[in-house]
Amino acid sequence: MIQKWSFSPYIDTEAVVLRIPAEDSPLPFFEHTDGKYICHMKDTTRVYGLGEAIRGINKRGWQYISFCSDDPVHTEEKTSLYGAHNFILVDSGRDDRFLAFFDYPAKITFDIGYSESDLITVNPEEDRLDLYIVTGGSLREIVREFRSLIGRAYLPPFFAFGYGQSRWGYVSEDDIKTVFLRHKEAGIPIDMVYLDIDYMEDFQDFTVSRERFPDLKNLSGYMRSNGVHLVPIIDAAVKVREGYSVYDEGKEKGYFCKDADGEDFLTAVWPGLSVLPDFLNADARRWFGEQYKTLTDMGIDGFWNDMNEPALFYSDKRLKEAFLKLKEFEGKNLGIFDFFSLRDVLGKLSNSIDDYRAFYHNTPSGKLRHDRVHNLYGYQMTRSASDALKSIRGGKRTLLFSRASYIGAHRYGGIWTGDNHAWWSHILQSMKQMPSLNMCGFLYSGSDIGGFGGNCTRDLLIRWLSFAVFTPLMRNHSAVGTRHQEAFAFGETEIFRHIITLRYRLIPYLYSEFMKAALTDDMYFRPLSFDYEDDPIAGEVEDQLMVGESLMIAPVYTQNAGGRVVYLPEEMTQVRMSGGEISTEELNKGHHYISVPLGDVVFFIKKGYAIPLCDPAENTQSIDYATLRLIGSSDRYTLYQDDGESLDVTLDSVKTIKKSNELSF
């Protein structure tokens, strides 16, 4: 059941697709006082949700702030990341559980047993929001009901389930070709090579450097003829430059965010002095989306939107103030406090709340200051691209994912979890983020394999890939100035070839389970507690995940570990890929130490279930479904298969595969 309580929201966020009448009955579960929402927890209460947030699957014991934040250092003390996903699923037992979605576009704090261990305190900056309460049966049933409220998840094209290689620092056409050819020479499957900001002319959106990429259309055609798609980045900010058509058109039509005086708000990101498209203005959103045609005309069918929290290096006004402030320190004998103040002058320029309060949007609800609708910006940028690309590409699916997001953005694209690091802890962090993102509809998701920042090691990349084999978005991405971490960058490539080849053998299962989850409002990744609600041990396990209907994974995420302890909540079939060969073993319920030598991938199939595996393939277009064979303890599997590009799809596209490999419809 879904109920709604409305507390004078000042804008329709368009996060929901069902129109629920507001209740005039008392609010359940929460005490609503002094603009806060307070809920009491039992000692055994678990709290799920909050999407991309840091820390555990069970969010109890920390404070989280929903305010889309450009912060590349994802450590445990952080309270905000790039997404704002304002929902919690409170589980105090089978007969006492509910989901609460606070539909509010500005800063909102979730104190989940942080200040007082038995209290949840939700505190929006203004008490003007819609609150949806979802109740029902099982945890999965409540999530399905919530997902029916917010709409169907984005459907990526089939090729988007292949392996992608990215790096900030591929600066030329030759670099791109080299990446592809090195994979090909090593026999490593690949479907995508990404273009970071280096492909642009002076970091201007929808431009291509004539010097470094003299013929992007020809390059795209060459790559596509080899089964590989180019996926360029698009940033939110537009460079201020007369003669640059995107800037000239946007300025002429008044499509950029304004300051208090009605002038274009001047900030700076990669291109230097920039303006921000007003994505909350439907006309501006439509106009910006039309710009993607510049690149689709060159054969591009995938994009990643970035810097759309929005990230601000500085504003023109505050930079001028900073230079004046710096002069005050000139010639002084700087003690500790003066030195800290000096450091803060420049250190606090980026992503300043003062800047977020300094510009405005033209919305259907009138002129609104940015900080009051901050969490909608990246969401509406993704919507801008998605709506336009459906028209531009004739209704075909486009690969599209974003850094910043709000609930509702899941209908338009996927997300990746942003600028992580080459830290072992970030494998585990990604594992814990995936099911929480699935709860609010972000099924097409993944992390930067190997870490975006820092220097990746061979063993870290191997272990990270062994987890990412199962994430819908599988992209190796790193920052300029860091050690190269392509699969061919560490010398011997055989282990990498075996792991990435396994991904392609699994794609028929992964794609099938993804599409079934999307079309039925289910979860692709789930905590064990969602499948084994009556098992108290399963409820405590946060480093194992269910993947689709059949699989459980328990990746190794500890440096120098030769294996790990795995909890099996029931009898399962252990599947091991070692040296490219697949073997199985039946294991009983309980705890097992599983040896996992570096390069092996081990996963588990539930009793009474099976998965299909196909023959190895060099890319998704060469996957041969005629080679499917089942492994597991069942003699059949219900397969979803479609053309991989149509948007108008249903579960009619399912068929049963039997152990004999005969397909029955």
Side-chain angles (χ1 to χ4, degrees), residues 462-483:
I462 288 170
R463 293 302 193 193
W464 208 317
L465 284 167
S466 299
F467 161 60
V469 156
F470 301 95
T471 61
L473 171 58
M474 187 184 185
R475 179 178 77 149
N476 180 331
H477 184 46
S478 57
V480 65
T482 65
R483 181 185 191 183

Side-chain angles (χ1 to χ4, degrees), residues 544-595:
Q544 301 173 206
L545 297 175
M546 309 305 299
V547 182
E549 69 176 15
S550 305
L551 289 190
M552 184 186 78
I553 61 172
V556 175
Y557 54 88
T558 306
Q559 187 174 12
N560 298 321
R564 56 162 291 174
V565 174
V566 176
Y567 175 66
L568 302 186
E570 62 175 316
E571 180 182 326
M572 291 186 174
T573 302
Q574 175 188 285
V575 182
R576 179 181 298 271
M577 188 285 297
S578 180
E581 299 298 320
I582 304 290
S583 62
T584 62
E585 179 183 354
E586 301 303 317
L587 297 179
N588 293 324
K589 175 181 177 177
H591 288 91
H592 300 262
Y593 178 80
I594 306 296
S595 175

Side-chain angles (χ1 to χ4, degrees), residues 504-579:
Y504 281 75
R505 299 194 68 186
L506 284 166
I507 282 177
Y509 173 78
L510 303 179
Y511 182 75
S512 177
E513 293 303 303
F514 179 98
M515 293 298 289
K516 286 188 285 186
L519 296 175
T520 61
D521 294 329
D522 205 348
M523 296 169 65
Y524 170 87
F525 279 118
R526 301 180 303 282
L528 267 60
S529 57
F530 278 52
D531 283 42
Y532 302 96
E533 290 193 4
D534 296 324
D535 185 333
I537 298 176
E540 299 293 329
V541 175
E542 294 207 347
D543 60 355
Q544 301 173 206
L545 297 175
M546 309 305 299
V547 182
E549 69 176 15
S550 305
L551 289 190
M552 184 186 78
I553 61 172
V556 175
Y557 54 88
T558 306
Q559 187 174 12
N560 298 321
R564 56 162 291 174
V565 174
V566 176
Y567 175 66
L568 302 186
E570 62 175 316
E571 180 182 326
M572 291 186 174
T573 302
Q574 175 188 285
V575 182
R576 179 181 298 271
M577 188 285 297
S578 180

Side-chain angles (χ1 to χ4, degrees), residues 205-237:
D205 279 341
F206 311 111
T207 66
V208 180
S209 168
R210 300 186 198 92
E211 178 184 354
R212 299 187 304 277
F213 291 86
D215 193 341
L216 186 64
K217 184 173 184 178
N218 183 63
L219 175 63
S220 175
Y222 165 76
M223 299 292 278
R224 285 290 292 275
S225 70
N226 286 280
V228 178
H229 302 253
L230 296 181
V231 185
I233 193 173
I234 301 293
D235 287 330

Side-chain angles (χ1 to χ4, degrees), residues 299-317:
I300 301 299
D301 55 4
F303 299 91
W304 49 303
N305 287 343
D306 200 359
M307 306 296 285
N308 52 358
E309 291 72 34
L312 310 179
F313 290 173
Y314 59 86
S315 68
D316 187 49
K317 179 179 178 181

Side-chain angles (χ1 to χ4, degrees), residues 125-136:
E125 282 196 326
E126 298 178 81
D127 192 16
R128 300 186 63 179
L129 53 81
D130 284 332
L131 171 55
Y132 295 86
I133 300 290
V134 184
T135 53

Side-chain angles (χ1 to χ4, degrees), residues 27-34 36-40 119-120:
L27 178 66
F29 303 112
F30 291 95
E31 299 170 11
H32 182 208
T33 179
D34 296 329
K36 299 178 182 179
Y37 300 79
I38 300 171
C39 174
H40 291 265
L119 292 184
I120 299 171

